[in-house]
Amino acid sequence: MRSTAPLRIEDRGTHVLASLDRPEKRNAIDQELVDALHALCADLEEEPRTLVLRGEGGDFAAGADIAQLRDRRAADARAGINTHAFLRVRALPMPVIAVLDGFALGGGAELAYAADVRIGTRSLRIGNPETGLGIIAAAGATWRLPELVGEPLAAEMLLTGRVLDGAEAFAAGLVTQLHDDGAAALVAAAGMADRIARLDPAALQASKRALRAPRSEHPQVDLAEQAILFESPEKTRRMTEFLERKQQSR
């Protein structure tokens, strides 16, 4: 894995840790960071690993870089600069865990929505205030946020600019764990990655594909994935070991 400024990448054994590293800008997402996310995704598509995303300096990402955003025009909107990067993060083969501390606003929130699991802190402030800047949340919030928190709360957040604090995000299910600070949340994410590392990668990747499939494709997609796994030597090995442990414990 290669670090590409402003994204610092570390191999932690059970997972890859990627830290958004523009603390002087509260990790605002600019073109350079988008390019770095694409480079990281290319590596993880080639060599699937669990990814933990976090931000340096006490914030996840305070939004898109407004100086760049102000100069973008219709062609830039149609190009989906942030949208395609976040879609690629979402489509990674292995789980993506976002550690959310401080501000996760606008594009930062939409990057967080693209993760499979979100772990938060009490200081978290997450939401989409884009309409106050004369634009919409167009990089995933309008379709991902209703799936995550339900349409009524998503509508309030997107139409009024409401920002949730950590406790509210936890109550809404937007984050599944709430910790006192970023260090504790990062430890929790590492523990989750450690549990994931003990599971069958093929079964994990099949589960992600099934989770991402449209509702209309179920249960066919589940049965097709299961049919492949039922022929897997790893499935036989793991189930045999389970039965042997059960027998020995009697």
Side-chain angles (χ1 to χ4, degrees), residues 45-180:
E45 289 159 358
E46 182 71 22
E47 182 185 353
R49 304 277 301 281
T50 294
L51 172 64
V52 175
L53 280 171
R54 64 178 290 273
E56 283 288 353
D59 292 301
F60 181 69
D65 189 300
I66 302 303
Q68 289 188 6
L69 202 58
R70 182 185 58 185
D71 294 333
R72 290 178 182 170
R73 294 296 182 259
D76 300 302
R78 294 188 180 97
I81 295 169
N82 287 2
T83 300
H84 290 298
F86 301 166
L87 283 170
R88 201 168 179 183
V89 169
R90 179 64 174 171
L92 286 172
M94 291 287 282
V96 178
I97 304 166
V99 176
L100 306 179
D101 190 21
F103 288 120
L105 299 175
E110 291 178 299
L111 175 57
Y113 303 155
D116 298 297
V117 180
R118 285 158 296 281
I119 296 174
T121 69
R122 298 189 187 282
S123 66
L124 173 63
R125 299 295 182 269
I126 186 168
N128 293 91
E130 281 90 341
T131 51
L133 295 170
I135 58 174
I136 70 169
T142 57
W143 76 88
R144 287 201 183 101
L145 192 56
E147 294 175 351
L148 294 170
V149 301
E151 189 169 338
L153 180 55
E156 182 178 346
M157 292 173 67
L158 294 171
L159 299 179
T160 73
R162 177 181 172 186
V163 172
L164 304 184
D165 62 26
E168 291 170 326
F170 180 68
L174 188 53
V175 298
T176 56
Q177 297 182 27
L178 194 64
H179 295 273
D180 289 335

Side-chain angles (χ1 to χ4, degrees), residues 223-236 239:
L223 302 181
E225 294 286 0
Q226 193 76 301
I228 295 170
L229 293 170
F230 270 19
E231 298 294 331
S232 165
E234 183 66 7
K235 168 249 191 182
T236 302
M239 290 191 175

